[in-house]
Amino acid sequence: DSRGATEGLPTLTVTTILEDPYVMVRGAELEGYCMDLLRALAGMLRFQYRVRVVGDGQYGAVSASGNWSGMIGEILRKEADIAVAPLTVTSAREEVVSFTTPFLQTGIGILLRKDTVSQEMSFFHFLSPFSKETWTGLLFAYLLTCFCLFLVARLSPCEWNEPKSEENHFTFLNSLWFGAGALALQGVTPRPQALSVRVIAVVWWLFTLALLAAYIANFTALLSSGSEQLPIQTFEDLVKQRNLEFGTLEGSSTFYFFKNSKNPIHQMIYEYMEKRREHVLVKTYQEAVQRVMESNYAFIGESISQDLAAARHCNLVRAPELIGARGFGIATAQASPWTKPLSIAVLKLRELGDLDYLRNKWWESSCLRQSRDRWRPLEPPALGGLFLALGIGLALGIIAAVAELSNSSRHTAGTAKKSCCSVFIEEICTRLRIKEKARPGQETGKANA
């Protein structure tokens, strides 16, 4: 594949590797992320280019004899001027070639098939739509509302007219039953008669209606998304399990990362892959993805490529842990005059937002959008307005009950020619079953009698 027919411009030989979505064959041409990047660089730096796919299909690794394979080897043998591909910048490669500023940042992750790591739903899976804090807040709101119903029903003369001769229907147990019935959208007795009690009842009904709608929606999303926690979260979990084989690309930077790492877990992963290298190491990235989809196999590789696989194949998922942060860079020969201009051009493309545009263009898919909207349990801030409305309603109900009792006490005080405050206090004590302490004058009169 060649570009740039303008005479007089320098022509660069570019080596690359076929890997979706970086470089792909479409008809008689090559296309992909790296091809778009190369086209943008050629336009900025004014050069022509001729693209060739690396002959041995390798990225670049040093053999026992000291010779380099893959794209790194072609640059060292001057078969190519630059390498534009998902080529990881490593210290070993940096010793023999030069790299530009990375155009993509990535790490090492674990690619899995969902059904090989799916967990059975827990016995209390129905509690998952809400967080623990939300359930605690709901329980507190339920008990507080039932207590307010009980209190207001005793204070309001419209609900309990004759506290000395009749029973109050809103006992505490009945109030608890009334609140539970509203949670289940069932009408229960006793039926409130006073305005104050009805205010609290209506607010509680609206609260439960919105809460149930949020619960049902979140529970449905939970069941459909299959977002239960994966049992393999880290590389340590991968080492401890025995159901899945795991490996990486043969001769890749990922393989040598584990080989050179001093981390005990990383050393165990390397020893496992080295002992079974004929069986667990794969030749190409496409082979790795196909093997993950068809067998009990976990692929260890570049996280950005795994994100693409999970976006293209909805039955694949990447484990949360990432290690070995690294970047993809353009490789050039040492002392090449193109290294610095290419680095500056990459930085300019990043500042202009062109690299982000290319990332979104070649990685976007329906599965990727679903992963962005991944289900999460509802936290208290998401329902904060609902709890606030309930609190305001409870306060209004209590204020209405006190107003009703004050109005009744004022009428009684005028008839009996007593102090309004004394009648109000007597009514509260009677309704709340509080024994009022006798005044000293009353005690003396009783003693004389």
Side-chain angles (χ1 to χ4, degrees):
D1 188 22
S2 60
R3 289 290 185 275
T6 305
E7 296 182 359
L9 295 181
T11 301
L12 299 181
T13 301
V14 181
T15 181
T16 188
I17 192 170
L18 294 179
E19 182 176 328
D20 186 11
Y22 302 98
V23 180
M24 302 171 288
V25 179
R26 292 293 184 268
E29 296 184 351
L30 297 176
E31 67 175 26
Y33 178 94
C34 288
M35 300 308 299
D36 288 350
L37 175 63
L38 181 60
R39 191 175 298 112
L41 293 174
M44 295 181 67
L45 300 180
R46 304 292 295 168
F47 65 84
Q48 304 175 81
Y49 58 88
R50 182 173 56 253
V51 181
R52 50 173 291 179
V53 178
V54 61
D56 58 6
Q58 300 293 318
Y59 290 87
V62 61
S63 63
S65 61
N67 297 322
W68 282 83
S69 63
M71 292 177 282
I72 302 296
E74 290 189 351
I75 292 178
L76 293 177
R77 294 189 297 269
K78 298 184 178 180
E79 298 174 5
D81 297 307
I82 62 174
V84 182
L87 189 61
T88 306
V89 180
T90 64
S91 59
R93 292 171 179 171
E94 189 74 54
E95 289 179 356
V96 295
V97 298
S98 297
F99 280 97
T100 65
T101 300
F103 57 85
L104 268 181
Q105 298 294 333
T106 183
I108 299 177
I110 309 171
L111 184 66
L112 308 157
R113 195 173 76 248
K114 289 181 180 179
D115 58 358
T116 61
V117 295
S118 59
Q119 258 185 338
E120 295 184 358
M121 292 186 180
S122 64
F123 188 72
F124 296 99
H125 194 64
F126 68 94
L127 298 176
S128 300
F130 291 160
S131 65
K132 294 179 181 179
E133 294 79 6
T134 304
W135 283 116
T136 303
L138 175 59
L139 178 62
F140 178 77
Y142 167 69
L143 295 176
L144 179 62
T145 303
C146 294
F147 177 76
C148 289
L149 278 172
F150 165 73
L151 178 64
V152 170
R154 298 183 77 85
L155 293 178
S156 175
C158 299
E159 186 68 40
W160 195 21
N161 190 27
E162 295 293 337
K164 296 181 180 180
S165 59
E166 65 180 17
E167 291 293 331
N168 191 328
H169 297 296
F170 273 94
T171 63
F172 189 66
L173 291 179
N174 286 347
S175 300
L176 291 174
W177 179 246
F178 183 90
L183 278 174
L185 299 182
Q186 302 295 320
V188 294
T189 55
R191 300 183 183 277
Q193 298 177 1
L195 175 63
S196 55
V197 183
R198 289 179 177 179
V199 167
I200 293 180
V202 168
V203 171
W204 177 244
W205 290 340
L206 294 176
F207 175 84
T208 55
L209 185 63
L211 193 73
L212 286 174
Y215 176 86
I216 293 172
N218 219 31
F219 192 56
T220 303
L222 169 63
L223 294 178
S224 61
S225 65
S227 59
E228 56 270 10
Q229 188 180 35
L230 297 174
I232 297 179
Q233 298 278 323
T234 64
F235 285 87
E236 184 176 359
D237 296 335
L238 185 64
V239 172
K240 290 180 179 179
Q241 59 81 39
R242 293 293 179 268
N243 297 326
L244 296 178
E245 296 179 325
F246 53 88
T248 187
L249 289 175
E250 185 177 5
S252 65
S253 60
T254 300
F255 179 81
Y256 288 99
F257 170 83
F258 287 101
K259 180 180 180 180
N260 300 325
S261 176
K262 303 301 181 182
N263 188 303
I265 299 298
H266 300 171
Q267 281 295 308
M268 293 173 65
I269 293 176
Y270 168 72
E271 292 172 2
Y272 174 90
M273 294 190 297
E274 181 64 27
K275 291 178 181 178
R276 301 168 177 81
R277 62 180 305 132
E278 297 297 330
H279 188 58
V280 300
L281 297 183
V282 293
K283 301 294 184 182
T284 64
Y285 186 78
Q286 290 76 13
E287 179 187 349
V289 174
Q290 195 69 23
R291 188 167 176 181
V292 173
M293 296 178 63
E294 296 177 353
S295 63
N296 290 337
Y297 181 78
F299 173 64
I300 302 174
E302 303 292 347
S303 62
I304 193 168
S305 300
Q306 294 176 346
D307 289 339
L308 175 68
R312 299 284 175 84
H313 308 282
C314 297
N315 63 332
L316 300 182
V317 63
R318 179 173 62 81
E321 185 181 33
L322 287 180
I323 60 174
R326 72 249 325 257
F328 292 155
I330 299 174
T332 65
Q334 288 185 336
S336 170
W338 290 99
T339 306
K340 187 172 182 179
L342 286 171
S343 291
I344 296 175
V346 168
L347 290 174
K348 287 183 178 179
L349 291 175
R350 179 176 298 163
E351 293 169 356
L352 294 173
D354 291 351
L355 295 184
D356 292 333
Y357 167 76
L358 294 179
R359 173 70 166 81
N360 295 330
K361 173 184 176 181
W362 292 102
W363 268 259
E364 189 67 23
S365 77
S366 58
C367 293
L368 189 60
R369 284 193 295 270
Q370 292 174 7
S371 66
R372 288 174 181 169
D373 300 330
R374 188 175 300 169
W375 170 90
R376 290 186 178 91
L378 286 181
E379 299 289 343
L383 302 174
L386 197 58
F387 283 93
L388 178 62
L390 176 63
I392 293 175
L394 296 180
L396 290 176
I398 295 176
I399 292 173
V402 173
E404 291 171 349
L405 183 59
S406 299
N407 186 46
S408 176
S409 300
R410 191 180 299 110
H411 183 268
T412 303
T415 304
K417 296 182 180 181
K418 293 183 178 180
S419 169
C420 182
C421 292
S422 62
V423 173
F424 181 76
I425 294 175
E426 288 176 1
E427 285 287 336
I428 290 181
C429 293
T430 302
R431 293 174 182 277
L432 299 182
R433 296 291 191 264
I434 300 175
K435 293 182 179 181
E436 188 178 8
K437 293 182 179 180
R439 295 186 179 90
Q442 294 177 341
E443 293 178 356
T444 303
K446 292 179 180 179
N448 294 333

